Amino acid sequence: MTVDEPYLVQPATGVYAYVQPDGGWCLNNAGFVSDGGRTLLIDTAATERRALALRDAVVAAGVPLPRTVVNTHHHGDHTYGNGVFTPEALVLGHDNARSEQLAAGHQLEMIWPATDFGAIEITAPSLTYSDRMTLHVGGTEVQVIHPGVAHTTGDSVVWLPGQRVVFTGDLVFAEGTPFLAMGSLAGSLRALELLRSLGAETVVPGHGPLTDPSAYDATERYLRYVAELAREGVAKG
């Protein structure tokens, strides 16, 4: 394996993070939770080839393919691969994540037309929620929580309280610049407070290597820096 190839990290028994270096544009993280009989997948990937590689990683881990896919938000790097896992898997996401994904359609392919995305079928969540919901994968409790408008209007945090592991989606970028083109800066700061309140020990960011809650502080510093630049710009006309 080269440093640029995706790799699995197992922060707790039955919990896997799928990391795609270097965590830049469209090189997102995914993950899965399994008790050996059932598997829940968190996010997919930006291209058919990468989604198939993720599928292979699940199989190589010796667990069943997922019956449930949770999307942390609608962006194509986290959802374009949904179709690789359906119809066998049900896709779950926030109410707004479904509508945003359907509205965005094949947006990534229009932005980067030279990229080989493969055969991408837009597959939006077929089960949605508004505030929070809880799933159980064997003995593992999986809480899916909407933090409010933050990175997008339809973000989901996936929290495993028994394992103290949280999948943040793109509320957190580790060793990379946070991306906030269509959400809310103030909402993103509120989302960080929600993340802090969970008490996670391991943080799986939307992009970049696994980290710990110190990543919240780094993200907050950047967001407050951007807010200050905006205030200065407004003041200068």
Side-chain angles (χ1 to χ4, degrees), residues 3 9 18-19 50 95 116 160 213 233:
V3 71
V9 180
Y18 183 77
V19 181
R50 288 183 176 274
D95 298 334
D116 180 10
L160 312 180

PDB file of all heavy atoms in Angstrom, residues 3 9 18-19 50 95 116 160 213 233:
ATOM      1  N   VAL A   3       1.150   5.517   0.404  1.00  0.00           N
ATOM      2  CA  VAL A   3       0.539   6.475   1.317  1.00  0.00           C
ATOM      3  C   VAL A   3      -0.737   7.067   0.730  1.00  0.00           C
ATOM      4  O   VAL A   3      -1.593   7.577   1.458  1.00  0.00           O
ATOM      5  CB  VAL A   3       1.561   7.578   1.686  1.00  0.00           C
ATOM      6  CG1 VAL A   3       1.812   8.482   0.497  1.00  0.00           C
ATOM      7  CG2 VAL A   3       1.093   8.383   2.883  1.00  0.00           C
ATOM      8  N   VAL A   9      -8.865   2.029   9.635  1.00  0.00           N
ATOM      9  CA  VAL A   9      -8.447   2.152  11.027  1.00  0.00           C
ATOM     10  C   VAL A   9      -9.601   1.607  11.867  1.00  0.00           C
ATOM     11  O   VAL A   9     -10.765   1.884  11.580  1.00  0.00           O
ATOM     12  CB  VAL A   9      -8.165   3.615  11.415  1.00  0.00           C
ATOM     13  CG1 VAL A   9      -7.732   3.707  12.876  1.00  0.00           C
ATOM     14  CG2 VAL A   9      -7.114   4.229  10.505  1.00  0.00           C
ATOM     15  N   TYR A  18     -12.718   4.413   7.253  1.00  0.00           N
ATOM     16  CA  TYR A  18     -12.110   4.227   5.928  1.00  0.00           C
ATOM     17  C   TYR A  18     -11.584   5.586   5.493  1.00  0.00           C
ATOM     18  O   TYR A  18     -12.363   6.507   5.211  1.00  0.00           O
ATOM     19  CB  TYR A  18     -13.162   3.710   4.953  1.00  0.00           C
ATOM     20  CG  TYR A  18     -12.659   3.407   3.554  1.00  0.00           C
ATOM     21  CD1 TYR A  18     -11.939   2.247   3.283  1.00  0.00           C
ATOM     22  CD2 TYR A  18     -12.943   4.267   2.498  1.00  0.00           C
ATOM     23  CE1 TYR A  18     -11.505   1.948   1.999  1.00  0.00           C
ATOM     24  CE2 TYR A  18     -12.518   3.977   1.205  1.00  0.00           C
ATOM     25  CZ  TYR A  18     -11.800   2.818   0.967  1.00  0.00           C
ATOM     26  OH  TYR A  18     -11.383   2.523  -0.317  1.00  0.00           O
ATOM     27  N   VAL A  19     -10.266   5.729   5.481  1.00  0.00           N
ATOM     28  CA  VAL A  19      -9.621   7.022   5.265  1.00  0.00           C
ATOM     29  C   VAL A  19      -9.022   7.074   3.861  1.00  0.00           C
ATOM     30  O   VAL A  19      -8.277   6.171   3.462  1.00  0.00           O
ATOM     31  CB  VAL A  19      -8.514   7.258   6.321  1.00  0.00           C
ATOM     32  CG1 VAL A  19      -7.853   8.621   6.117  1.00  0.00           C
ATOM     33  CG2 VAL A  19      -9.093   7.141   7.724  1.00  0.00           C
ATOM     34  N   ARG A  50     -14.029   4.342  -6.626  1.00  0.00           N
ATOM     35  CA  ARG A  50     -13.724   4.480  -5.198  1.00  0.00           C
ATOM     36  C   ARG A  50     -14.794   3.824  -4.327  1.00  0.00           C
ATOM     37  O   ARG A  50     -14.486   3.263  -3.267  1.00  0.00           O
ATOM     38  CB  ARG A  50     -13.538   5.949  -4.835  1.00  0.00           C
ATOM     39  CG  ARG A  50     -12.228   6.529  -5.370  1.00  0.00           C
ATOM     40  CD  ARG A  50     -12.003   7.967  -4.943  1.00  0.00           C
ATOM     41  NE  ARG A  50     -10.703   8.441  -5.392  1.00  0.00           N
ATOM     42  CZ  ARG A  50      -9.555   8.277  -4.730  1.00  0.00           C
ATOM     43  NH1 ARG A  50      -9.561   7.639  -3.565  1.00  0.00           N
ATOM     44  NH2 ARG A  50      -8.420   8.736  -5.213  1.00  0.00           N
ATOM     45  N   ASP A  95     -33.759  15.036   6.466  1.00  0.00           N
ATOM     46  CA  ASP A  95     -34.768  15.478   5.491  1.00  0.00           C
ATOM     47  C   ASP A  95     -34.144  16.360   4.414  1.00  0.00           C
ATOM     48  O   ASP A  95     -34.381  16.182   3.212  1.00  0.00           O
ATOM     49  CB  ASP A  95     -35.874  16.279   6.191  1.00  0.00           C
ATOM     50  CG  ASP A  95     -36.644  15.473   7.222  1.00  0.00           C
ATOM     51  OD1 ASP A  95     -36.702  14.234   7.092  1.00  0.00           O
ATOM     52  OD2 ASP A  95     -37.186  16.093   8.159  1.00  0.00           O
ATOM     53  N   ASP A 116     -13.188  10.890 -14.324  1.00  0.00           N
ATOM     54  CA  ASP A 116     -13.934   9.666 -14.604  1.00  0.00           C
ATOM     55  C   ASP A 116     -14.711   9.266 -13.351  1.00  0.00           C
ATOM     56  O   ASP A 116     -14.192   8.580 -12.476  1.00  0.00           O
ATOM     57  CB  ASP A 116     -12.979   8.552 -15.029  1.00  0.00           C
ATOM     58  CG  ASP A 116     -13.700   7.247 -15.335  1.00  0.00           C
ATOM     59  OD1 ASP A 116     -14.949   7.259 -15.407  1.00  0.00           O
ATOM     60  OD2 ASP A 116     -13.022   6.219 -15.500  1.00  0.00           O
ATOM     61  N   LEU A 160     -21.330   7.102  18.422  1.00  0.00           N
ATOM     62  CA  LEU A 160     -21.354   5.784  19.051  1.00  0.00           C
ATOM     63  C   LEU A 160     -21.002   5.968  20.528  1.00  0.00           C
ATOM     64  O   LEU A 160     -19.819   5.974  20.895  1.00  0.00           O
ATOM     65  CB  LEU A 160     -20.345   4.853  18.381  1.00  0.00           C
ATOM     66  CG  LEU A 160     -20.359   4.787  16.848  1.00  0.00           C
ATOM     67  CD1 LEU A 160     -19.299   3.821  16.342  1.00  0.00           C
ATOM     68  CD2 LEU A 160     -21.732   4.402  16.321  1.00  0.00           C
ATOM     69  N   PRO A 213     -10.732  15.350  20.014  1.00  0.00           N
ATOM     70  CA  PRO A 213     -11.504  16.594  20.126  1.00  0.00           C
ATOM     71  C   PRO A 213     -10.712  17.885  19.976  1.00  0.00           C
ATOM     72  O   PRO A 213     -11.323  18.957  19.830  1.00  0.00           O
ATOM     73  CB  PRO A 213     -12.136  16.474  21.525  1.00  0.00           C
ATOM     74  CG  PRO A 213     -12.301  15.007  21.723  1.00  0.00           C
ATOM     75  CD  PRO A 213     -11.047  14.422  21.127  1.00  0.00           C
ATOM     76  N   GLY A 233     -14.016  43.408   6.473  1.00  0.00           N
ATOM     77  CA  GLY A 233     -14.368  43.750   5.110  1.00  0.00           C
ATOM     78  C   GLY A 233     -15.626  44.603   5.013  1.00  0.00           C
ATOM     79  O   GLY A 233     -15.684  45.572   4.236  1.00  0.00           O
TER      80      GLY A 233
END
